[in-house]
Amino acid sequence: RSQVISFPSYSEYLAAQPMQRLLVLLCCIWQCQAVDLRGSADRQGPRQLSKAEAGELLEAAVEIFQKPANKRKLLDAVSMSNKEEDPMKKMMLMMTDVMPLAQSMMHAPMSKYGFSDDDALPVLSQIQALAAGDEKMGSEIAMLQGALQVSVL
């Protein structure tokens, strides 16, 4: 059985709340897969993170993305994507250029906690939920969002 993946339109993206836009951005960056493309109904999602584990993964992301060499690679890839004027093509470039790069950078921390690269979206969703009301985690999410700002206009 086939499943269709639907991405938000540009106007839907702009209408989204800032945290939803952050989630879309981070999903693109971390090459998240929201749908099991094989249509497997029996596949279980990843285990539940503790708040401490979520904080540690978030700290790892900040540390990894702030390393000068990694930051330069990510910013170069984002810059190349931003040169595209068409918003949909720009998002496609983010998915094909930036996502694999960021995914490779986050592979070790994700593996450390027993997650595969395909678990990125559910893990990210858990981190976002666990960060609600936590000032430190919220500031780390905001820092990542600012550091990897993508201009979609």
Side-chain angles (χ1 to χ4, degrees):
R1 186 176 100 195
S2 296
Q3 295 182 3
V4 176
I5 298 174
S6 176
F7 292 97
S9 70
Y10 180 62
S11 59
E12 291 171 328
Y13 173 81
L14 289 178
Q17 296 297 319
M19 284 304 280
Q20 292 170 324
R21 284 188 287 199
L22 171 62
L23 182 59
V24 169
L25 176 63
L26 289 175
C27 287
C28 289
I29 292 172
W30 283 356
Q31 191 176 5
C32 299
Q33 296 179 358
V35 178
D36 179 2
L37 296 177
R38 295 176 304 280
S40 173
D42 59 311
R43 182 175 187 257
Q44 293 183 351
R47 68 174 181 80
Q48 181 65 41
L49 281 169
S50 69
K51 185 167 183 170
E53 290 173 323
E56 290 167 9
L57 268 173
L58 189 53
E59 286 175 12
V62 169
E63 182 180 327
I64 287 168
F65 294 151
Q66 289 298 314
K67 286 183 179 177
N70 291 343
K71 189 173 186 176
R72 175 58 27 219
K73 288 177 189 176
L74 285 168
L75 291 176
D76 287 347
V78 168
S79 176
M80 291 300 293
S81 297
N82 281 336
K83 289 180 181 178
E84 177 58 53
E85 292 187 23
D86 180 88
M88 295 309 288
K89 288 181 182 177
K90 188 179 294 190
M91 289 304 289
M92 183 58 86
L93 286 171
M94 289 293 297
M95 291 170 31
T96 59
D97 295 347
V98 180
M99 287 184 343
L101 180 60
Q103 180 184 14
S104 69
M105 292 176 187
M106 286 301 297
H107 179 79
M110 292 284 289
S111 296
K112 175 183 174 185
Y113 291 95
F115 298 111
S116 72
D117 294 341
D118 292 341
D119 293 328
L121 179 61
V123 169
L124 182 58
S125 296
Q126 288 184 45
I127 291 172
Q128 183 183 16
L130 291 165
D134 185 300
E135 189 174 319
K136 181 177 185 254
M137 291 174 75
S139 68
E140 289 173 331
I141 289 172
M143 186 178 73
L144 284 174
Q145 182 182 22
L148 300 171
Q149 189 64 42
V150 179
S151 171
V152 291
L153 296 176

